[in-house]
Amino acid sequence: MRCLWLWLLPLPCAGLLCPSTCAAQDGTPWPCRFPSCQLPVTHNPARGTPQDINVVVLSPYSGELGDLMTTAEPLLEMALQEIENSTLLPGYRLNVLLADSKCTREDATAAAVEAFYSGDPKHAILGDACSDGCEAVSDVSRFFKVLQVSPGCGSTSLSERSRYPYLARLAPSDRFKLQAIFEVMKMFSFKRVSLMYQSNENLALFQDLVQRDVEAGYAWITLLTERIVSISDAERATAAIQTRDSRITVLSLNEEAGAMLLCQAYLKGMVSPDFVWLLSSGNWGQNFPERANHPHINCTAPQLLAAARGLIAAELGPMLQSSSVHGLSGRPLADIHSQYAAQCQSFGNGTGRCNFIWTPYFYDGLWQLANVFHSHLSASSQLTGDAAQEALYNISLQQDYLGLSGQVRYFDSEAMHKVGAGDRDGTILLRQVVGPLGDEFQELAYWTGQGITWKADIVWGDQRVACSGGSCNLTGAVVPLDRGTCAAGRIFVDALGCQACPTGRFEEAGQCVNCPAGSFAASPGLASCEPCPAGSAVNFAGAEVCEVCTEGHYQNETGALSCLRCPVSFYGPSRSLPSCLPCPEGKTTAYEGAIDVQMCTCNGDIFEGVCISCSDDFRFVEGQCIACVEGLRCRTGETPR
Ligand SMILES: *[C@@H]1O[C@H](CO)[C@@H](O)[C@H](O)[C@H]1NC(C)=O
Ligand SMILES: *[C@@H]1O[C@H](CO)[C@@H](O)[C@H](O)[C@H]1NC(C)=O
Ligand SMILES: *[C@@H]1O[C@H](CO)[C@@H](O)[C@H](O)[C@H]1NC(C)=O
Ligand SMILES: *[C@@H]1O[C@H](CO)[C@@H](O)[C@H](O)[C@H]1NC(C)=O
Ligand SMILES: *[C@@H]1O[C@H](CO)[C@@H](O)[C@H](O)[C@H]1NC(C)=O
Ligand SMILES: *[C@@H]1O[C@H](CO)[C@@H](O)[C@H](O)[C@H]1NC(C)=O
């Protein structure tokens, strides 16, 4: 075994390319199916003495995705034998070597390089399943100038032709999963949405799809885009979701970050049907609440499940099981499906794990490699090298067949639908969390570029939308809304949620309007204004406070527009009076609006201590007011009667 140094990356001296123990359904280790890391094949005598085409299948037996390879092996074995038995590749024989990428860049690089430098020459890679690994494997395949087809890898950055010039992937990129989620949201006319994401790539993708729709006239309102990597992020984000009244949230989060968010949502009582969660990427598996049950996430698995109930997740394509025939192998899809179901389970003495979501790409991938080589070899005998790699890639992009994972058809231009080169059209599986712990996800629908085929009813809390007939019956269906109803005194603002009406205004029929003159609103969030109390008044609309009556003024009524002057023989000695005080007995004022008792005077004559004031045309004579009649001497200016 050689130790290699490639691009200054120290590589471990690996032994076998694949492990000796593989995982059963419950994770128990069992001896792997193929301890030699080579798929067995019963030779087809018709091939005579063929030339070898050696394919390295590189995907994880361990790591982030778990033991994916063990679940895929039955389909690889099946496809390899079918290819051997077929008339494809006359004069050649496909051999398959199994290697563990462990789902990391370093391990995938090491395993790929190890595979190429040991044993017979290799001619193609079917790998990796994780995006990091795919990037690494793509570099290795360029270095060795061989054909690469990947059975996984959702990252949209892999669509960049200049960076990954020869990558044809079978798993749809995250863009298609998000597109499926957008289609579901649009079906329910959701407009106000938020995104919780981990990578900037997912944020950019979300913004790109929003912009695409906005330009086409669909008025998305993006309320929040929050990056979730810690519990405090999750706490802050869920609080913001409440403040902004964001009901529809797209999650581009892995299981752990998703659990952080859902736990906080659970603690705040944010559950279905009031809140709708849509998972666009992250590969959450069955049993995710248990696996995400991290010591520092304060929720139990049942609590996480309660928060996740109703969540709709876009996943890789499902393994189809119709009676249609596989475009390359010629077998009915249902046959392949049922043979796989039996073989995946038989591992570990009947405790094997099956995976009906991811593994179809392995079957399609091996067949596609065979088909591409077949087309290529009819015109050339070069299996590797610059020209062969480019020619093989060109043929890959022309593939168009019904696969076990749906229609396989490549987009060959970055301009086409703004998707990258090497991305395929295909089927996206939509699942919904409706089941018990350990069996949370139920198949909900299949999405393709042509639309959505529904398989089950959508269930959000106590609301159910009838969809099992293939399409959803929205007539009369009660569906969640993308906004709540506001309490009295609060109005709805699209971008902000329920907002309290400010001071001076009150809420009327969903609008904040000015308090009418004579009334006021001293605090925000009022459903009605208060009339000005007696002793105060205001003569304009929109008052936060009423103006108190000044000295010499009063107001005995509430809700008044203005204060009144104290009448004659009254005075107002202080502010905000509901009534004026009368002048002391025997005194009066000569005018309105007196402010002081001193202003109460006798404006007539004092007779035995009493103030007597005679009105016009009368005159005071010894305590009496006498009419000024003809013959008497009236005061100056008086007109005698
Ligand atoms: C391949 O051919 C052999 C010999 O004809 C046969 O026994 C076997 O069942 C075939 N396998 C498949 C998968 O077609
Ligand atoms: C988890 O719960 C413990 C005990 O109730 C509490 O002290 C701690 O702050 C909680 N952590 C989080 C992240 O909520
Ligand atoms: C496999 O299952 C059979 C029948 O249930 C049992 O007798 C046998 O001991 C099992 N083998 C192992 C290794 O557990
Ligand atoms: C592959 O396709 C590209 C773009 O269509 C073309 O320029 C190139 O000549 C092709 N290469 C081969 C080897 O067919
Ligand atoms: C759709 O639902 C409505 C209300 O429940 C019902 O009246 C109608 O018949 C349904 N339409 C179909 C096509 O099932
Ligand atoms: C206020 O004064 C006016 C005039 O004197 C009177 O008609 C009215 O009833 C009074 N209102 C109250 C509430 O006392």
Side-chain angles (χ1 to χ4, degrees), residues 152-155 169-177 315-317 361 423-428 447:
C153 307
S155 168
R169 51 176 151 177
L170 274 163
S173 91
D174 290 346
R175 167 177 287 272
F176 295 97
K177 292 186 240 172
E315 295 287 349
L316 301 170
Y361 302 117
D423 276 352
R424 67 167 275 198
D425 195 0
T427 308
I428 299 284
W447 175 92

PDB file of all heavy atoms in Angstrom, residues 152-155 169-177 315-317 361 423-428 447:
ATOM      1  N   GLY A 152     -25.524  11.960  -5.626  1.00  0.00           N
ATOM      2  CA  GLY A 152     -26.087  12.827  -4.587  1.00  0.00           C
ATOM      3  C   GLY A 152     -25.612  14.241  -4.825  1.00  0.00           C
ATOM      4  O   GLY A 152     -25.389  14.628  -5.957  1.00  0.00           O
ATOM      5  N   CYS A 153     -25.460  15.003  -3.744  1.00  0.00           N
ATOM      6  CA  CYS A 153     -24.874  16.340  -3.784  1.00  0.00           C
ATOM      7  C   CYS A 153     -25.876  17.391  -4.233  1.00  0.00           C
ATOM      8  O   CYS A 153     -26.117  17.572  -5.428  1.00  0.00           O
ATOM      9  CB  CYS A 153     -23.641  16.412  -4.662  1.00  0.00           C
ATOM     10  SG  CYS A 153     -22.434  15.164  -4.217  1.00  0.00           S
ATOM     11  N   GLY A 154     -26.437  18.120  -3.266  1.00  0.00           N
ATOM     12  CA  GLY A 154     -27.467  19.103  -3.584  1.00  0.00           C
ATOM     13  C   GLY A 154     -26.964  20.515  -3.750  1.00  0.00           C
ATOM     14  O   GLY A 154     -27.686  21.378  -4.244  1.00  0.00           O
ATOM     15  N   SER A 155     -25.739  20.773  -3.333  1.00  0.00           N
ATOM     16  CA  SER A 155     -25.250  22.148  -3.316  1.00  0.00           C
ATOM     17  C   SER A 155     -25.379  22.815  -4.674  1.00  0.00           C
ATOM     18  O   SER A 155     -24.982  22.259  -5.702  1.00  0.00           O
ATOM     19  CB  SER A 155     -23.784  22.151  -2.874  1.00  0.00           C
ATOM     20  OG  SER A 155     -23.227  23.415  -3.118  1.00  0.00           O
ATOM     21  N   ARG A 169     -24.695  15.377 -12.306  1.00  0.00           N
ATOM     22  CA  ARG A 169     -25.217  14.754 -11.085  1.00  0.00           C
ATOM     23  C   ARG A 169     -26.612  14.186 -11.294  1.00  0.00           C
ATOM     24  O   ARG A 169     -27.388  14.686 -12.108  1.00  0.00           O
ATOM     25  CB  ARG A 169     -25.195  15.718  -9.913  1.00  0.00           C
ATOM     26  CG  ARG A 169     -25.823  17.060 -10.159  1.00  0.00           C
ATOM     27  CD  ARG A 169     -25.791  17.854  -8.866  1.00  0.00           C
ATOM     28  NE  ARG A 169     -25.724  19.287  -9.107  1.00  0.00           N
ATOM     29  CZ  ARG A 169     -25.741  20.187  -8.143  1.00  0.00           C
ATOM     30  NH1 ARG A 169     -25.821  19.797  -6.893  1.00  0.00           N
ATOM     31  NH2 ARG A 169     -25.689  21.464  -8.418  1.00  0.00           N
ATOM     32  N   LEU A 170     -26.901  13.175 -10.504  1.00  0.00           N
ATOM     33  CA  LEU A 170     -28.202  12.529 -10.619  1.00  0.00           C
ATOM     34  C   LEU A 170     -29.180  13.040  -9.585  1.00  0.00           C
ATOM     35  O   LEU A 170     -30.388  13.047  -9.806  1.00  0.00           O
ATOM     36  CB  LEU A 170     -28.045  11.015 -10.491  1.00  0.00           C
ATOM     37  CG  LEU A 170     -27.719  10.371 -11.836  1.00  0.00           C
ATOM     38  CD1 LEU A 170     -27.171   8.994 -11.659  1.00  0.00           C
ATOM     39  CD2 LEU A 170     -28.964  10.344 -12.712  1.00  0.00           C
ATOM     40  N   ALA A 171     -28.674  13.469  -8.431  1.00  0.00           N
ATOM     41  CA  ALA A 171     -29.583  14.027  -7.437  1.00  0.00           C
ATOM     42  C   ALA A 171     -29.867  15.467  -7.844  1.00  0.00           C
ATOM     43  O   ALA A 171     -28.989  16.163  -8.322  1.00  0.00           O
ATOM     44  CB  ALA A 171     -28.939  13.992  -6.066  1.00  0.00           C
ATOM     45  N   PRO A 172     -31.112  15.895  -7.684  1.00  0.00           N
ATOM     46  CA  PRO A 172     -31.439  17.270  -8.045  1.00  0.00           C
ATOM     47  C   PRO A 172     -30.744  18.240  -7.080  1.00  0.00           C
ATOM     48  O   PRO A 172     -30.536  17.909  -5.926  1.00  0.00           O
ATOM     49  CB  PRO A 172     -32.951  17.334  -7.894  1.00  0.00           C
ATOM     50  CG  PRO A 172     -33.304  16.226  -6.975  1.00  0.00           C
ATOM     51  CD  PRO A 172     -32.266  15.169  -7.141  1.00  0.00           C
ATOM     52  N   SER A 173     -30.393  19.395  -7.558  1.00  0.00           N
ATOM     53  CA  SER A 173     -29.758  20.378  -6.682  1.00  0.00           C
ATOM     54  C   SER A 173     -30.816  20.975  -5.748  1.00  0.00           C
ATOM     55  O   SER A 173     -32.016  20.868  -5.979  1.00  0.00           O
ATOM     56  CB  SER A 173     -29.077  21.473  -7.502  1.00  0.00           C
ATOM     57  OG  SER A 173     -29.963  22.538  -7.739  1.00  0.00           O
ATOM     58  N   ASP A 174     -30.330  21.631  -4.701  1.00  0.00           N
ATOM     59  CA  ASP A 174     -31.228  22.255  -3.718  1.00  0.00           C
ATOM     60  C   ASP A 174     -32.203  23.234  -4.365  1.00  0.00           C
ATOM     61  O   ASP A 174     -33.282  23.491  -3.846  1.00  0.00           O
ATOM     62  CB  ASP A 174     -30.415  22.990  -2.651  1.00  0.00           C
ATOM     63  CG  ASP A 174     -29.676  22.031  -1.737  1.00  0.00           C
ATOM     64  OD1 ASP A 174     -30.015  20.829  -1.766  1.00  0.00           O
ATOM     65  OD2 ASP A 174     -28.764  22.470  -1.006  1.00  0.00           O
ATOM     66  N   ARG A 175     -31.804  23.781  -5.503  1.00  0.00           N
ATOM     67  CA  ARG A 175     -32.688  24.718  -6.199  1.00  0.00           C
ATOM     68  C   ARG A 175     -34.042  24.085  -6.501  1.00  0.00           C
ATOM     69  O   ARG A 175     -35.091  24.701  -6.340  1.00  0.00           O
ATOM     70  CB  ARG A 175     -32.025  25.177  -7.500  1.00  0.00           C
ATOM     71  CG  ARG A 175     -32.963  25.904  -8.447  1.00  0.00           C
ATOM     72  CD  ARG A 175     -32.230  26.382  -9.676  1.00  0.00           C
ATOM     73  NE  ARG A 175     -31.379  27.517  -9.369  1.00  0.00           N
ATOM     74  CZ  ARG A 175     -31.800  28.793  -9.419  1.00  0.00           C
ATOM     75  NH1 ARG A 175     -33.038  29.069  -9.761  1.00  0.00           N
ATOM     76  NH2 ARG A 175     -30.992  29.766  -9.135  1.00  0.00           N
ATOM     77  N   PHE A 176     -34.027  22.824  -6.934  1.00  0.00           N
ATOM     78  CA  PHE A 176     -35.291  22.183  -7.311  1.00  0.00           C
ATOM     79  C   PHE A 176     -36.147  21.895  -6.090  1.00  0.00           C
ATOM     80  O   PHE A 176     -37.364  21.978  -6.136  1.00  0.00           O
ATOM     81  CB  PHE A 176     -35.016  20.912  -8.112  1.00  0.00           C
ATOM     82  CG  PHE A 176     -34.352  21.191  -9.428  1.00  0.00           C
ATOM     83  CD1 PHE A 176     -32.984  21.089  -9.563  1.00  0.00           C
ATOM     84  CD2 PHE A 176     -35.094  21.624 -10.511  1.00  0.00           C
ATOM     85  CE1 PHE A 176     -32.362  21.380 -10.766  1.00  0.00           C
ATOM     86  CE2 PHE A 176     -34.486  21.920 -11.721  1.00  0.00           C
ATOM     87  CZ  PHE A 176     -33.116  21.798 -11.850  1.00  0.00           C
ATOM     88  N   LYS A 177     -35.475  21.559  -4.985  1.00  0.00           N
ATOM     89  CA  LYS A 177     -36.243  21.304  -3.758  1.00  0.00           C
ATOM     90  C   LYS A 177     -36.918  22.594  -3.302  1.00  0.00           C
ATOM     91  O   LYS A 177     -38.092  22.604  -2.918  1.00  0.00           O
ATOM     92  CB  LYS A 177     -35.316  20.764  -2.665  1.00  0.00           C
ATOM     93  CG  LYS A 177     -34.788  19.387  -2.988  1.00  0.00           C
ATOM     94  CD  LYS A 177     -33.993  18.834  -1.824  1.00  0.00           C
ATOM     95  CE  LYS A 177     -32.574  18.545  -2.249  1.00  0.00           C
ATOM     96  NZ  LYS A 177     -31.699  18.194  -1.152  1.00  0.00           N
ATOM     97  N   GLU A 315     -37.552  16.539  -0.503  1.00  0.00           N
ATOM     98  CA  GLU A 315     -36.472  15.558  -0.414  1.00  0.00           C
ATOM     99  C   GLU A 315     -36.013  15.189  -1.800  1.00  0.00           C
ATOM    100  O   GLU A 315     -36.635  15.518  -2.792  1.00  0.00           O
ATOM    101  CB  GLU A 315     -36.993  14.284   0.271  1.00  0.00           C
ATOM    102  CG  GLU A 315     -37.391  14.461   1.705  1.00  0.00           C
ATOM    103  CD  GLU A 315     -36.195  14.609   2.607  1.00  0.00           C
ATOM    104  OE1 GLU A 315     -35.062  14.362   2.139  1.00  0.00           O
ATOM    105  OE2 GLU A 315     -36.390  14.977   3.769  1.00  0.00           O
ATOM    106  N   LEU A 316     -34.945  14.417  -1.814  1.00  0.00           N
ATOM    107  CA  LEU A 316     -34.521  13.816  -3.064  1.00  0.00           C
ATOM    108  C   LEU A 316     -35.681  13.018  -3.621  1.00  0.00           C
ATOM    109  O   LEU A 316     -36.646  12.733  -2.914  1.00  0.00           O
ATOM    110  CB  LEU A 316     -33.347  12.887  -2.797  1.00  0.00           C
ATOM    111  CG  LEU A 316     -32.130  13.565  -2.179  1.00  0.00           C
ATOM    112  CD1 LEU A 316     -31.134  12.539  -1.730  1.00  0.00           C
ATOM    113  CD2 LEU A 316     -31.523  14.517  -3.173  1.00  0.00           C
ATOM    114  N   GLY A 317     -35.554  12.645  -4.870  1.00  0.00           N
ATOM    115  CA  GLY A 317     -36.660  11.941  -5.515  1.00  0.00           C
ATOM    116  C   GLY A 317     -36.972  10.618  -4.851  1.00  0.00           C
ATOM    117  O   GLY A 317     -36.103   9.993  -4.272  1.00  0.00           O
ATOM    118  N   TYR A 361     -30.676   6.735  -7.225  1.00  0.00           N
ATOM    119  CA  TYR A 361     -29.630   7.414  -8.000  1.00  0.00           C
ATOM    120  C   TYR A 361     -28.446   6.497  -8.273  1.00  0.00           C
ATOM    121  O   TYR A 361     -27.718   6.690  -9.239  1.00  0.00           O
ATOM    122  CB  TYR A 361     -29.145   8.669  -7.272  1.00  0.00           C
ATOM    123  CG  TYR A 361     -30.251   9.648  -6.995  1.00  0.00           C
ATOM    124  CD1 TYR A 361     -30.621   9.985  -5.697  1.00  0.00           C
ATOM    125  CD2 TYR A 361     -30.962  10.228  -8.040  1.00  0.00           C
ATOM    126  CE1 TYR A 361     -31.645  10.874  -5.446  1.00  0.00           C
ATOM    127  CE2 TYR A 361     -31.995  11.116  -7.797  1.00  0.00           C
ATOM    128  CZ  TYR A 361     -32.333  11.433  -6.493  1.00  0.00           C
ATOM    129  OH  TYR A 361     -33.357  12.298  -6.253  1.00  0.00           O
ATOM    130  N   ASP A 423     -27.016  19.871 -14.164  1.00  0.00           N
ATOM    131  CA  ASP A 423     -28.151  19.625 -13.274  1.00  0.00           C
ATOM    132  C   ASP A 423     -29.218  18.908 -14.072  1.00  0.00           C
ATOM    133  O   ASP A 423     -29.432  19.200 -15.242  1.00  0.00           O
ATOM    134  CB  ASP A 423     -28.739  20.944 -12.760  1.00  0.00           C
ATOM    135  CG  ASP A 423     -27.977  21.453 -11.552  1.00  0.00           C
ATOM    136  OD1 ASP A 423     -27.123  20.714 -11.052  1.00  0.00           O
ATOM    137  OD2 ASP A 423     -28.239  22.590 -11.137  1.00  0.00           O
ATOM    138  N   ARG A 424     -29.912  18.012 -13.401  1.00  0.00           N
ATOM    139  CA  ARG A 424     -30.926  17.254 -14.117  1.00  0.00           C
ATOM    140  C   ARG A 424     -32.331  17.660 -13.712  1.00  0.00           C
ATOM    141  O   ARG A 424     -32.566  18.193 -12.632  1.00  0.00           O
ATOM    142  CB  ARG A 424     -30.768  15.765 -13.846  1.00  0.00           C
ATOM    143  CG  ARG A 424     -31.072  15.431 -12.403  1.00  0.00           C
ATOM    144  CD  ARG A 424     -31.221  13.956 -12.179  1.00  0.00           C
ATOM    145  NE  ARG A 424     -32.566  13.502 -12.468  1.00  0.00           N
ATOM    146  CZ  ARG A 424     -33.057  12.345 -12.037  1.00  0.00           C
ATOM    147  NH1 ARG A 424     -32.293  11.523 -11.345  1.00  0.00           N
ATOM    148  NH2 ARG A 424     -34.292  11.999 -12.309  1.00  0.00           N
ATOM    149  N   ASP A 425     -33.198  17.387 -14.609  1.00  0.00           N
ATOM    150  CA  ASP A 425     -34.617  17.485 -14.339  1.00  0.00           C
ATOM    151  C   ASP A 425     -34.964  16.211 -13.565  1.00  0.00           C
ATOM    152  O   ASP A 425     -34.223  15.252 -13.593  1.00  0.00           O
ATOM    153  CB  ASP A 425     -35.335  17.465 -15.694  1.00  0.00           C
ATOM    154  CG  ASP A 425     -36.758  17.908 -15.590  1.00  0.00           C
ATOM    155  OD1 ASP A 425     -37.197  18.233 -14.475  1.00  0.00           O
ATOM    156  OD2 ASP A 425     -37.436  17.921 -16.624  1.00  0.00           O
ATOM    157  N   GLY A 426     -36.041  16.197 -12.860  1.00  0.00           N
ATOM    158  CA  GLY A 426     -36.363  14.961 -12.170  1.00  0.00           C
ATOM    159  C   GLY A 426     -37.512  15.138 -11.225  1.00  0.00           C
ATOM    160  O   GLY A 426     -38.316  16.056 -11.351  1.00  0.00           O
ATOM    161  N   THR A 427     -37.595  14.254 -10.275  1.00  0.00           N
ATOM    162  CA  THR A 427     -38.704  14.230  -9.337  1.00  0.00           C
ATOM    163  C   THR A 427     -38.202  14.607  -7.953  1.00  0.00           C
ATOM    164  O   THR A 427     -37.133  14.184  -7.547  1.00  0.00           O
ATOM    165  CB  THR A 427     -39.314  12.821  -9.300  1.00  0.00           C
ATOM    166  OG1 THR A 427     -39.603  12.418 -10.630  1.00  0.00           O
ATOM    167  CG2 THR A 427     -40.582  12.799  -8.474  1.00  0.00           C
ATOM    168  N   ILE A 428     -38.988  15.422  -7.255  1.00  0.00           N
ATOM    169  CA  ILE A 428     -38.696  15.762  -5.863  1.00  0.00           C
ATOM    170  C   ILE A 428     -39.823  15.163  -5.031  1.00  0.00           C
ATOM    171  O   ILE A 428     -40.995  15.290  -5.370  1.00  0.00           O
ATOM    172  CB  ILE A 428     -38.686  17.292  -5.643  1.00  0.00           C
ATOM    173  CG1 ILE A 428     -37.626  17.974  -6.497  1.00  0.00           C
ATOM    174  CG2 ILE A 428     -38.524  17.631  -4.171  1.00  0.00           C
ATOM    175  CD1 ILE A 428     -36.224  17.820  -6.014  1.00  0.00           C
ATOM    176  N   TRP A 447     -43.104  16.119  -6.910  1.00  0.00           N
ATOM    177  CA  TRP A 447     -43.001  17.339  -7.719  1.00  0.00           C
ATOM    178  C   TRP A 447     -42.105  17.092  -8.915  1.00  0.00           C
ATOM    179  O   TRP A 447     -41.054  16.446  -8.791  1.00  0.00           O
ATOM    180  CB  TRP A 447     -42.407  18.465  -6.871  1.00  0.00           C
ATOM    181  CG  TRP A 447     -42.153  19.748  -7.635  1.00  0.00           C
ATOM    182  CD1 TRP A 447     -43.005  20.801  -7.772  1.00  0.00           C
ATOM    183  CD2 TRP A 447     -40.960  20.119  -8.351  1.00  0.00           C
ATOM    184  NE1 TRP A 447     -42.433  21.792  -8.537  1.00  0.00           N
ATOM    185  CE2 TRP A 447     -41.165  21.393  -8.910  1.00  0.00           C
ATOM    186  CE3 TRP A 447     -39.740  19.486  -8.594  1.00  0.00           C
ATOM    187  CZ2 TRP A 447     -40.207  22.057  -9.671  1.00  0.00           C
ATOM    188  CZ3 TRP A 447     -38.776  20.145  -9.358  1.00  0.00           C
ATOM    189  CH2 TRP A 447     -39.017  21.424  -9.891  1.00  0.00           C
TER     190      TRP A 447
END
